[in-house]
Amino acid sequence: MQGLFDAFSLKCSQLKQAVASGHDDLVRVLDRELEPMIAEILAYRAETRENAHMQLQFLNGLIRDEAEDKSSVVRRSAAMSMLIDRYFRANSDGGDGFRQPPSRMPAKSAVFDAPDQPLFNEAVLDCLPDRVGVITKDYRYLFANQANAEFLGRSPLALVGCHVSEFIGDDSFHALAKPAFDKCFDGMAVDYMHRGRLGWAEFKARCRMTPLRAANKEIIGAVVVLQNASQSMALEKS
């Protein structure tokens, strides 16, 4: 584990030196080598709590360093969710402490490929008038377009990592949203009318879910498009 961190640190030092020296070709070569190294560090199967925390601290540092790059923050936040789920998801006995993951781990998490999929084009989704969210398989926001963020009273980045139930309530989530998400995660396109509550107000919205697939075709989440009930009825009549 430490060897991976040392190699990454050395590569970063080489990159900084190349930038300072104005060697543009070398900068491009070194920069391309960093992402595979990051993927290797995050794919490492930590056997102790200390190593797991080292991975989380490493990723937290990346998020801080890349804070001005929205796309990078979204990807790193999704990876953070993946690591937390890997090591600290509730155990079968109800505990939520560190657990050693299965021995077989993918060489690279599928989540790193997700933003490159045509279905997950942030620029396109931000231009849509409908509310759009990209939800991970643990029912948390990976992305929200501007329309959805404004409706929920948050910024798009503030929504990353938030659980869906935080905005629609536990009852509405378990009764309607979770069954729909689970069908979507099984590969189905879902279209249903959701009734929920936002603050003190009740709302009704048409909810369409499409599976989000990684480059290897594995389903890693859902793209959700929401329209309020009156808007949906008007479109169907037109």
Side-chain angles (χ1 to χ4, degrees):
M1 181 72 170
Q2 188 59 50
L4 293 174
F5 286 126
D6 290 342
F8 179 79
S9 178
L10 175 61
K11 191 68 64 177
C12 287
S13 297
Q14 293 172 338
L15 178 60
K16 289 179 181 178
Q17 184 175 352
V19 171
S21 302
H23 296 161
D24 294 340
D25 291 340
L26 181 56
V27 168
R28 285 191 288 270
V29 170
L30 292 172
D31 191 53
R32 285 197 298 267
E33 293 177 355
L34 283 179
E35 200 62 37
M37 296 179 74
I38 293 173
E40 187 175 5
I41 290 173
L42 299 183
Y44 181 87
R45 184 175 62 88
E47 298 180 353
T48 65
R49 179 186 292 270
E50 289 72 23
N51 279 347
H53 282 159
M54 287 175 65
Q55 284 179 298
L56 290 169
Q57 289 169 358
F58 170 79
L59 191 52
N60 186 59
L62 291 179
I63 293 174
R64 184 177 60 250
D65 293 341
E66 301 169 347
E68 295 182 0
D69 186 338
K70 176 182 176 182
S71 176
S72 292
V73 170
V74 169
R75 290 191 297 123
R76 304 306 185 202
S77 298
M80 179 74 79
S81 177
M82 179 265 297
L83 286 182
I84 293 173
D85 184 67
R86 181 193 296 175
Y87 297 124
F88 301 101
R89 183 176 57 191
N91 299 318
S92 57
D93 60 1
D96 59 356
F98 173 81
R99 64 184 180 89
Q100 188 172 327
S103 57
R104 290 193 64 187
M105 295 295 294
K108 180 180 178 183
S109 171
V111 76
F112 295 112
D113 294 320
D116 297 327
Q117 301 307 301
L119 190 58
F120 188 14
N121 186 313
E122 293 179 42
V124 173
L125 296 182
D126 258 332
C127 292
L128 294 177
D130 296 330
R131 291 183 281 126
V132 180
V134 178
I135 310 299
T136 61
K137 294 182 72 174
D138 59 352
Y139 316 105
R140 296 181 183 277
Y141 271 94
L142 171 59
F143 169 83
N145 72 346
Q146 194 63 42
N148 197 19
E150 289 177 359
F151 180 83
L152 297 175
R154 302 277 186 94
S155 70
L157 284 182
L159 283 168
V160 173
C162 293
H163 199 279
V164 172
S165 63
E166 182 178 339
F167 304 100
I168 63 176
D170 286 335
D171 292 343
S172 176
F173 171 73
H174 287 288
L176 296 173
K178 186 177 184 299
F181 276 121
D182 291 343
K183 289 179 182 178
C184 188
F185 297 151
D186 284 337
M188 297 175 57
V190 180
D191 188 340
Y192 78 104
M193 192 64 69
H194 185 92
R195 294 171 175 81
R197 180 181 294 275
L198 183 63
W200 295 103
E202 293 185 351
F203 69 92
K204 183 167 65 173
R206 181 184 181 184
C207 180
R208 290 174 288 163
M209 300 181 179
T210 305
L212 175 65
R213 298 180 184 273
N216 62 0
K217 305 305 180 184
E218 176 188 357
I219 296 174
I220 59 172
V223 177
V224 183
V225 179
L226 295 156
Q227 296 175 324
N228 63 44
S230 58
Q231 179 185 9
S232 177
M233 291 177 62
L235 290 174
E236 289 177 356
K237 289 180 180 179
S238 60

